């Protein structure tokens, strides 16, 4: 008996002594996602790649200096045909060494095509920088959406469990009434059917929690446990009403998607100008110094040569088989397409700002209405409990009131999640999101050690465990 008791206590002792997984807040999830998320890292790699275009385009206007040297051993046999015996250049076999070196410098003085290409490189880099910032902003929004999605799924699971408890008690009460002859069996069958239906939805809600957790783990690349809940007692930031026109004007200037599209259109226009400028002349200044020495040669004597040159090189394309005109037309069509795309994005950004603004304003009013409904549900629950004490209500009425109160709590939490995400979407539509937005949202969360309740106010089942 003693051995069996010891074996039974082993799992309990292991669970008690095992190290608990650290709680994860929103900032921890964001930092892990910033390191692991491949889309974000790919955008950073694309930006670093785009930054190399600038020095490459600027090199066309900087001096180009090159140097060279040579050394050789020569084995030469020379025979003069048709000359007299007193010919000044003798025939014979010669071996000698030769060496030389030289330096050349060139710098472009006029190249309109390279100038437009340099402007296009700058526009391309600015567009890539905007896309990189956009990737950061989208990562913030994605992390918050998945984090709040998990909290909402967990709240829904708690609601389903509360409904299951209420319907299980109702089914038990109906069975007791049937056995006592106070109610027909149809009441018990109806209660049992509703209970089984809620059990099915509870299983679906449990699976939704697992999926929401799996999405976060896929994003961070590591298992997460004990996610912090949203503290609904914090005062939510009030939406700025009456600033829609200012937000739209700011979005036309600071929206990252629009900035990237405009940068790409400007680069396409610059490349079109560069293609058109290929028919213009180019002027290059050149200077060189060359030294060559040969100890002997085919004429029987050695040479030393020093060559110093300086001058200008002018090139003017006259006819290239229509290639320049074709490239210019293609680049102009590409630039027009880029400008049309930027205009389409501009209209979409204006609509997105207006939509996000209206959603934020409506979300704030919805939270106020749902909080009033929650207060009414709480008062109804208090009245039902008082009715049980005085004998005019039963436990089933209390369970139904608790179920309604839990549902009102879940609705408040859902509306709060949507409101906070809506504010992020509005800021992302106007400008961009940063890590500071994560810090501000993280301040609204509470660790599991502070409270073991879910964000909707009732006990969090499975804290520290996987549902």
């Amino acid at each position: 008996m003693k051995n069996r008791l010891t074996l039974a206590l082993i799992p309990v002792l292991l669970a008690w002594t095992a190290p608990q997984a650290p709680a994860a807040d929103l900032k921890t999830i964001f930092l892990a996602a910033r390191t692991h998320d491949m889309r974000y890292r790919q955008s950073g790699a694309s930006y670093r790649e785009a930054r190399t275009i600038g020095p490459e385009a600027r090199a066309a206007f900087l001096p180009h200096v090159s140097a060279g040297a040579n050394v050789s051993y020569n084995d030469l046999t020379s025979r003069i045909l048709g000359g007299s015996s007193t010919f000044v250049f003798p025939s014979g076999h010669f071996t000698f060494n030769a060496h030389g070196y030289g330096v050349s410098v060139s710098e472009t003085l006029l190249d309109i095509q390279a100038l437009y290409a340099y402007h296009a490189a700058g526009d391309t880099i600015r567009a890539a920088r905007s896309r990189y910032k956009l990737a950061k902003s989208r990562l913030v929004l994605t992390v918050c959406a998945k984090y709040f999605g998990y909290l909402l799924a967990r709240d829904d699971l708690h609601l389903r469990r509360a409904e299951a408890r209420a319907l299980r008690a109702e089914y038990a009460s109906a069975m007791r009434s049937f056995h006592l002859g106070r109610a027909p069996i149809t009441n018990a069958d109806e209660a049992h059917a509703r209970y089984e239906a809620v059990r099915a939805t509870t299983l679906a809600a449990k699976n939704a929690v697992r999926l929401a957790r799996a999405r976060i783990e896929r994003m961070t690349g590591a298992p997460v446990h004990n996610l912090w809940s949203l503290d609904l007692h914090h005062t939510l930031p009030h939406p700025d009403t009456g600033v829609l026109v200012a937000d739209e004007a700011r979005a036309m200037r600071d929206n990252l998607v629009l900035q990237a599209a405009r940068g790409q259109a400007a680069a396409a226009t610059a490349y079109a100008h560069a293609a058109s400028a290929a028919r213009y002349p180019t002027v290059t200044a050149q200077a060189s110094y060359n030294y060559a020495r040969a100890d002997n040669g085919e004429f029987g004597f050695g040479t030393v040569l020093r060559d110093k040159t300086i001058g200008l090189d002018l090139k003017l394309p006259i006819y290239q088989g229509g290639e320049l005109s074709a490239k210019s037309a293609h680049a102009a069509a590409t630039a027009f397409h880029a400008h049309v795309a930027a205009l389409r994005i501009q209209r979409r950004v204006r609509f997105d700002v207006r939509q996000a603004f209206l959603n934020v304003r409506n979300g704030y009013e919805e939270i106020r209405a749902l909080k009033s409904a929650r207060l009414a549900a709480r008062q109804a629950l208090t009245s039902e409990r008082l009715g049980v004490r005085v004998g005019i209500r039963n436990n089933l009425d209390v369970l139904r009131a608790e179920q309604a109160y839990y549902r009102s709590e879940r609705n408040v939490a859902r509306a709060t999640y949507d409101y906070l995400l809506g504010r992020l979407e509005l800021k992302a539509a106007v400008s961009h999101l940063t890590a500071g937005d994560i810090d501000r949202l993280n301040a609204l969360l509470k660790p599991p050690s502070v409270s073991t309740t879910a964000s909707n106010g009732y006990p969090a089942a499975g804290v520290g465990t996987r549902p």
Side-chain angles (χ1 to χ4, degrees):
M1 183 66 182
K2 183 177 180 180
N3 294 334
R4 292 181 180 179
L5 180 61
T6 303
L7 293 176
L9 289 176
I10 288 177
V12 179
L13 294 175
L14 290 176
W16 181 68
T17 57
Q20 296 294 325
D25 58 355
L26 184 60
K27 186 174 183 178
T28 304
I29 297 299
F30 172 73
L31 294 178
R34 191 172 61 180
T35 304
H36 181 75
D37 188 77
M38 287 295 104
R39 289 185 179 181
Y40 175 72
R41 296 181 63 180
Q42 183 179 1
S43 65
S46 299
Y47 175 54
R48 288 190 294 271
E49 179 185 1
R51 289 176 59 183
T52 61
I53 301 177
E56 181 181 353
R58 188 172 59 249
F61 303 98
L62 298 178
H64 292 188
V65 182
S66 60
N70 62 84
V71 60
S72 62
Y73 172 77
N74 299 269
D75 189 338
L76 176 64
T77 300
S78 175
R79 186 162 62 93
I80 304 300
L81 301 178
S84 63
S85 59
T86 60
F87 194 68
V88 66
F89 299 115
S91 301
H93 178 260
F94 309 96
T95 59
F96 60 92
N97 295 324
H99 65 274
Y101 58 87
V103 178
S104 64
V105 180
S106 65
E107 183 171 3
T108 300
L109 301 181
L110 177 63
D111 192 342
I112 301 177
Q113 183 182 17
L115 180 62
Y116 281 121
Y118 176 71
H119 291 319
D123 293 329
T124 302
I125 293 174
R126 283 188 287 271
R129 185 186 303 115
S130 298
R131 286 192 290 268
Y132 182 44
K133 291 181 179 179
L134 179 63
K136 292 181 181 179
S137 180
R138 287 177 175 173
L139 181 63
V140 172
L141 189 59
T142 301
V143 168
C144 294
K146 291 184 178 181
Y147 192 96
F148 288 153
Y150 171 79
L151 295 183
L152 180 61
R154 191 172 64 182
D155 293 343
D156 186 68
L157 175 60
H158 297 322
L159 172 64
R160 302 305 176 189
R161 287 173 174 172
E163 290 178 344
R165 288 195 301 268
L167 292 176
R168 184 171 61 247
E170 182 179 357
Y171 171 62
S173 177
M175 289 298 297
R176 286 194 300 269
S177 299
F178 168 71
H179 289 304
L180 294 176
R182 299 175 182 174
I185 190 60
T186 55
N187 292 350
D189 293 339
E190 181 181 357
H192 183 259
R194 286 189 294 172
Y195 170 66
E196 293 298 335
V198 170
R199 280 188 60 194
T201 59
T202 302
L203 294 176
K206 186 181 297 186
N207 186 61
V209 172
R210 293 194 183 102
L211 290 177
R213 186 192 297 271
R215 294 187 186 99
I216 297 178
E217 293 176 348
R218 178 186 178 186
M219 181 175 56
T220 58
V224 294
H225 302 277
N226 301 337
L227 295 182
W228 290 24
S229 302
L230 180 65
D231 190 355
L232 298 180
H233 298 291
H234 279 287
T235 302
L236 296 177
H238 192 279
D240 297 328
T241 58
V243 295
L244 178 58
V245 177
D247 285 344
E248 288 181 349
R250 185 184 175 191
M252 294 299 102
R253 183 184 70 252
D254 297 336
N255 182 271
L256 292 178
V257 180
L258 187 56
Q259 284 183 3
R262 286 175 175 172
Q264 199 66 32
T269 302
Y271 280 125
H273 291 318
S276 178
R279 61 176 59 92
Y280 297 152
T282 59
V283 179
T284 305
Q286 296 180 344
S288 64
Y289 172 80
N290 293 287
Y291 171 85
R293 177 186 175 93
D295 295 335
N296 205 339
E298 60 180 329
F299 302 119
F301 53 85
T303 59
V304 175
L305 298 176
R306 290 183 175 88
D307 181 19
K308 303 176 183 179
T309 62
I310 185 170
L312 297 177
D313 184 15
L314 173 65
K315 292 182 179 180
L316 178 62
I318 297 177
Y319 181 68
Q320 306 295 327
E323 179 184 3
L324 300 183
S325 299
K327 287 184 176 180
S328 178
H330 180 266
T334 303
F336 179 75
H337 178 269
H339 280 283
V340 171
L343 180 60
R344 178 181 61 83
I345 292 176
Q346 177 179 330
R347 294 177 179 177
R348 189 188 69 187
V349 167
R350 192 183 299 274
F351 173 77
D352 291 343
V353 171
R354 185 177 295 271
Q355 183 182 31
F357 178 83
L358 294 177
N359 288 338
V360 168
R361 189 173 62 180
N362 178 75
Y364 190 81
E365 297 300 328
E366 183 182 7
I367 290 175
R368 294 178 58 183
L370 290 175
K371 285 184 176 180
S372 299
R374 181 182 62 180
L375 179 60
R378 182 182 299 172
Q379 292 174 351
L381 177 59
T382 303
S383 300
E384 294 292 343
R385 288 173 176 171
L386 182 60
V388 171
R389 294 176 184 174
V390 300
I392 60 175
R393 288 289 188 269
N394 54 34
N395 291 331
L396 293 179
D397 297 324
V398 174
L399 291 173
R400 294 191 185 97
E402 286 182 349
Q403 182 180 356
Y405 174 67
Y406 293 156
R407 185 176 291 108
S408 66
E409 284 280 1
R410 196 275 307 268
N411 292 337
V412 170
R414 176 193 53 78
T416 304
Y417 302 148
D418 293 341
Y419 174 72
L420 294 176
L421 287 176
R423 287 183 64 90
L424 292 178
E425 291 173 353
L426 176 59
K427 186 177 179 181
V430 172
S431 57
H432 61 280
L433 301 174
T434 62
D437 298 290
I438 292 289
D439 294 333
R440 283 186 286 272
L441 283 179
N442 202 59
L444 302 178
L445 303 178
K446 56 183 179 180
S449 58
V450 173
S451 175
T452 58
T453 60
S455 57
N456 54 8
Y458 39 87
V463 173
T465 61
R466 304 177 68 91

